[in-house]
PDB file of all heavy atoms in Angstrom:
ATOM      1  N   THR Z  22      14.028 -29.238-120.982  1.00  0.00           N
ATOM      2  CA  THR Z  22      13.034 -28.267-121.305  1.00  0.00           C
ATOM      3  C   THR Z  22      13.520 -27.168-122.125  1.00  0.00           C
ATOM      4  O   THR Z  22      12.913 -26.763-123.076  1.00  0.00           O
ATOM      5  CB  THR Z  22      12.546 -27.724-119.941  1.00  0.00           C
ATOM      6  OG1 THR Z  22      11.959 -28.755-119.130  1.00  0.00           O
ATOM      7  CG2 THR Z  22      11.348 -26.662-120.245  1.00  0.00           C
ATOM      8  N   LEU Z  23      14.777 -26.653-121.801  1.00  0.00           N
ATOM      9  CA  LEU Z  23      15.391 -25.620-122.682  1.00  0.00           C
ATOM     10  C   LEU Z  23      15.628 -26.119-124.077  1.00  0.00           C
ATOM     11  O   LEU Z  23      15.380 -25.410-125.094  1.00  0.00           O
ATOM     12  CB  LEU Z  23      16.655 -25.158-122.008  1.00  0.00           C
ATOM     13  CG  LEU Z  23      17.471 -24.090-122.724  1.00  0.00           C
ATOM     14  CD1 LEU Z  23      16.662 -22.769-122.826  1.00  0.00           C
ATOM     15  CD2 LEU Z  23      18.823 -23.866-121.976  1.00  0.00           C
ATOM     16  N   ARG Z  24      16.161 -27.336-124.181  1.00  0.00           N
ATOM     17  CA  ARG Z  24      16.416 -27.891-125.465  1.00  0.00           C
ATOM     18  C   ARG Z  24      15.150 -27.990-126.287  1.00  0.00           C
ATOM     19  O   ARG Z  24      15.132 -27.683-127.508  1.00  0.00           O
ATOM     20  CB  ARG Z  24      16.977 -29.225-125.361  1.00  0.00           C
ATOM     21  CG  ARG Z  24      17.563 -29.837-126.576  1.00  0.00           C
ATOM     22  CD  ARG Z  24      18.369 -31.070-126.346  1.00  0.00           C
ATOM     23  NE  ARG Z  24      18.855 -31.674-127.608  1.00  0.00           N
ATOM     24  CZ  ARG Z  24      19.741 -32.702-127.503  1.00  0.00           C
ATOM     25  NH1 ARG Z  24      20.135 -33.200-126.344  1.00  0.00           N
ATOM     26  NH2 ARG Z  24      20.268 -33.167-128.686  1.00  0.00           N
ATOM     27  N   GLY Z  25      14.016 -28.420-125.615  1.00  0.00           N
ATOM     28  CA  GLY Z  25      12.686 -28.465-126.348  1.00  0.00           C
ATOM     29  C   GLY Z  25      12.278 -27.218-126.834  1.00  0.00           C
ATOM     30  O   GLY Z  25      11.540 -27.048-127.909  1.00  0.00           O
ATOM     31  N   LEU Z  26      12.423 -26.150-125.962  1.00  0.00           N
ATOM     32  CA  LEU Z  26      12.046 -24.811-126.403  1.00  0.00           C
ATOM     33  C   LEU Z  26      12.656 -24.357-127.591  1.00  0.00           C
ATOM     34  O   LEU Z  26      12.034 -23.853-128.467  1.00  0.00           O
ATOM     35  CB  LEU Z  26      12.259 -23.884-125.146  1.00  0.00           C
ATOM     36  CG  LEU Z  26      11.967 -22.386-125.455  1.00  0.00           C
ATOM     37  CD1 LEU Z  26      10.402 -22.282-125.690  1.00  0.00           C
ATOM     38  CD2 LEU Z  26      12.358 -21.540-124.329  1.00  0.00           C
ATOM     39  N   TYR Z  27      13.935 -24.509-127.632  1.00  0.00           N
ATOM     40  CA  TYR Z  27      14.748 -24.153-128.844  1.00  0.00           C
ATOM     41  C   TYR Z  27      14.341 -24.953-130.145  1.00  0.00           C
ATOM     42  O   TYR Z  27      14.244 -24.465-131.206  1.00  0.00           O
ATOM     43  CB  TYR Z  27      16.292 -24.340-128.571  1.00  0.00           C
ATOM     44  CG  TYR Z  27      16.839 -23.113-127.896  1.00  0.00           C
ATOM     45  CD1 TYR Z  27      17.447 -23.191-126.599  1.00  0.00           C
ATOM     46  CD2 TYR Z  27      16.775 -21.760-128.449  1.00  0.00           C
ATOM     47  CE1 TYR Z  27      17.939 -22.189-126.004  1.00  0.00           C
ATOM     48  CE2 TYR Z  27      17.388 -20.671-127.799  1.00  0.00           C
ATOM     49  CZ  TYR Z  27      17.999 -20.881-126.627  1.00  0.00           C
ATOM     50  OH  TYR Z  27      18.506 -19.829-125.826  1.00  0.00           O
ATOM     51  N   ASP Z  28      14.074 -26.225-129.866  1.00  0.00           N
ATOM     52  CA  ASP Z  28      13.626 -27.124-131.005  1.00  0.00           C
ATOM     53  C   ASP Z  28      12.292 -26.611-131.511  1.00  0.00           C
ATOM     54  O   ASP Z  28      12.104 -26.662-132.830  1.00  0.00           O
ATOM     55  CB  ASP Z  28      13.519 -28.569-130.566  1.00  0.00           C
ATOM     56  CG  ASP Z  28      14.935 -29.181-130.336  1.00  0.00           C
ATOM     57  OD1 ASP Z  28      15.886 -28.672-130.846  1.00  0.00           O
ATOM     58  OD2 ASP Z  28      14.922 -30.266-129.659  1.00  0.00           O
ATOM     59  N   PHE Z  29      11.433 -26.210-130.595  1.00  0.00           N
ATOM     60  CA  PHE Z  29      10.130 -25.672-131.067  1.00  0.00           C
ATOM     61  C   PHE Z  29      10.395 -24.389-131.837  1.00  0.00           C
ATOM     62  O   PHE Z  29       9.666 -24.174-132.843  1.00  0.00           O
ATOM     63  CB  PHE Z  29       9.327 -25.396-129.704  1.00  0.00           C
ATOM     64  CG  PHE Z  29       8.017 -24.741-130.092  1.00  0.00           C
ATOM     65  CD1 PHE Z  29       6.856 -25.508-130.514  1.00  0.00           C
ATOM     66  CD2 PHE Z  29       7.813 -23.353-129.870  1.00  0.00           C
ATOM     67  CE1 PHE Z  29       5.698 -24.907-130.796  1.00  0.00           C
ATOM     68  CE2 PHE Z  29       6.570 -22.795-130.248  1.00  0.00           C
ATOM     69  CZ  PHE Z  29       5.535 -23.551-130.626  1.00  0.00           C
ATOM     70  N   ALA Z  30      11.259 -23.514-131.405  1.00  0.00           N
ATOM     71  CA  ALA Z  30      11.522 -22.290-132.080  1.00  0.00           C
ATOM     72  C   ALA Z  30      12.053 -22.561-133.586  1.00  0.00           C
ATOM     73  O   ALA Z  30      11.815 -21.838-134.487  1.00  0.00           O
ATOM     74  CB  ALA Z  30      12.473 -21.430-131.337  1.00  0.00           C
ATOM     75  N   VAL Z  31      12.872 -23.590-133.669  1.00  0.00           N
ATOM     76  CA  VAL Z  31      13.477 -23.924-134.975  1.00  0.00           C
ATOM     77  C   VAL Z  31      12.379 -24.414-135.893  1.00  0.00           C
ATOM     78  O   VAL Z  31      12.220 -23.977-137.058  1.00  0.00           O
ATOM     79  CB  VAL Z  31      14.588 -25.005-134.794  1.00  0.00           C
ATOM     80  CG1 VAL Z  31      14.980 -25.607-136.142  1.00  0.00           C
ATOM     81  CG2 VAL Z  31      15.847 -24.378-134.010  1.00  0.00           C
ATOM     82  N   ASP Z  32      11.447 -25.229-135.277  1.00  0.00           N
ATOM     83  CA  ASP Z  32      10.352 -25.777-136.136  1.00  0.00           C
ATOM     84  C   ASP Z  32       9.334 -24.784-136.508  1.00  0.00           C
ATOM     85  O   ASP Z  32       8.837 -24.735-137.758  1.00  0.00           O
ATOM     86  CB  ASP Z  32       9.688 -26.945-135.391  1.00  0.00           C
ATOM     87  CG  ASP Z  32      10.639 -28.107-135.273  1.00  0.00           C
ATOM     88  OD1 ASP Z  32      11.561 -28.293-136.093  1.00  0.00           O
ATOM     89  OD2 ASP Z  32      10.397 -28.974-134.386  1.00  0.00           O
ATOM     90  N   GLU Z  33       8.976 -23.956-135.567  1.00  0.00           N
ATOM     91  CA  GLU Z  33       7.758 -23.022-135.770  1.00  0.00           C
ATOM     92  C   GLU Z  33       8.125 -21.700-136.161  1.00  0.00           C
ATOM     93  O   GLU Z  33       7.442 -21.000-136.934  1.00  0.00           O
ATOM     94  CB  GLU Z  33       7.031 -22.958-134.444  1.00  0.00           C
ATOM     95  CG  GLU Z  33       6.394 -24.254-133.940  1.00  0.00           C
ATOM     96  CD  GLU Z  33       5.352 -24.780-134.892  1.00  0.00           C
ATOM     97  OE1 GLU Z  33       4.625 -24.024-135.584  1.00  0.00           O
ATOM     98  OE2 GLU Z  33       5.295 -26.073-135.055  1.00  0.00           O
ATOM     99  N   TYR Z  34       9.299 -21.097-135.826  1.00  0.00           N
ATOM    100  CA  TYR Z  34       9.767 -19.835-136.144  1.00  0.00           C
ATOM    101  C   TYR Z  34      10.918 -19.712-137.031  1.00  0.00           C
ATOM    102  O   TYR Z  34      11.552 -18.637-137.154  1.00  0.00           O
ATOM    103  CB  TYR Z  34       9.888 -19.002-134.872  1.00  0.00           C
ATOM    104  CG  TYR Z  34       8.641 -18.915-134.011  1.00  0.00           C
ATOM    105  CD1 TYR Z  34       8.538 -19.786-132.963  1.00  0.00           C
ATOM    106  CD2 TYR Z  34       7.539 -18.004-134.364  1.00  0.00           C
ATOM    107  CE1 TYR Z  34       7.368 -19.711-132.130  1.00  0.00           C
ATOM    108  CE2 TYR Z  34       6.423 -17.997-133.588  1.00  0.00           C
ATOM    109  CZ  TYR Z  34       6.267 -18.863-132.480  1.00  0.00           C
ATOM    110  OH  TYR Z  34       5.100 -18.804-131.769  1.00  0.00           O
ATOM    111  N   ARG Z  35      11.337 -20.788-137.505  1.00  0.00           N
ATOM    112  CA  ARG Z  35      12.488 -20.980-138.520  1.00  0.00           C
ATOM    113  C   ARG Z  35      13.731 -20.297-137.932  1.00  0.00           C
ATOM    114  O   ARG Z  35      14.510 -19.533-138.620  1.00  0.00           O
ATOM    115  CB  ARG Z  35      12.066 -20.172-139.868  1.00  0.00           C
ATOM    116  CG  ARG Z  35      10.884 -20.875-140.610  1.00  0.00           C
ATOM    117  CD  ARG Z  35      10.641 -20.259-141.881  1.00  0.00           C
ATOM    118  NE  ARG Z  35       9.514 -20.905-142.522  1.00  0.00           N
ATOM    119  CZ  ARG Z  35       9.069 -20.631-143.778  1.00  0.00           C
ATOM    120  NH1 ARG Z  35       9.709 -19.561-144.410  1.00  0.00           N
ATOM    121  NH2 ARG Z  35       8.083 -21.171-144.310  1.00  0.00           N
ATOM    122  N   LEU Z  36      13.985 -20.620-136.645  1.00  0.00           N
ATOM    123  CA  LEU Z  36      15.316 -20.155-136.071  1.00  0.00           C
ATOM    124  C   LEU Z  36      16.359 -20.881-136.796  1.00  0.00           C
ATOM    125  O   LEU Z  36      16.211 -22.229-137.101  1.00  0.00           O
ATOM    126  CB  LEU Z  36      15.334 -20.535-134.584  1.00  0.00           C
ATOM    127  CG  LEU Z  36      16.395 -19.965-133.722  1.00  0.00           C
ATOM    128  CD1 LEU Z  36      16.084 -18.426-133.463  1.00  0.00           C
ATOM    129  CD2 LEU Z  36      16.295 -20.636-132.370  1.00  0.00           C
ATOM    130  N   PRO Z  37      17.386 -20.299-137.197  1.00  0.00           N
ATOM    131  CA  PRO Z  37      18.519 -20.874-137.955  1.00  0.00           C
ATOM    132  C   PRO Z  37      19.028 -22.165-137.327  1.00  0.00           C
ATOM    133  O   PRO Z  37      19.386 -23.170-138.075  1.00  0.00           O
ATOM    134  CB  PRO Z  37      19.604 -19.816-137.983  1.00  0.00           C
ATOM    135  CG  PRO Z  37      18.872 -18.557-137.824  1.00  0.00           C
ATOM    136  CD  PRO Z  37      17.862 -18.831-136.970  1.00  0.00           C
ATOM    137  N   GLY Z  38      19.052 -22.237-136.112  1.00  0.00           N
ATOM    138  CA  GLY Z  38      19.639 -23.499-135.378  1.00  0.00           C
ATOM    139  C   GLY Z  38      19.392 -23.429-133.877  1.00  0.00           C
ATOM    140  O   GLY Z  38      19.029 -22.251-133.355  1.00  0.00           O
TER     141      GLY Z  38
END
Side-chain angles (χ1 to χ4, degrees):
T22 303
L23 179 63
R24 187 172 183 173
L26 176 63
Y27 278 118
D28 288 343
F29 176 80
V31 170
D32 293 338
E33 298 296 327
Y34 299 101
R35 298 185 180 181
L36 195 70

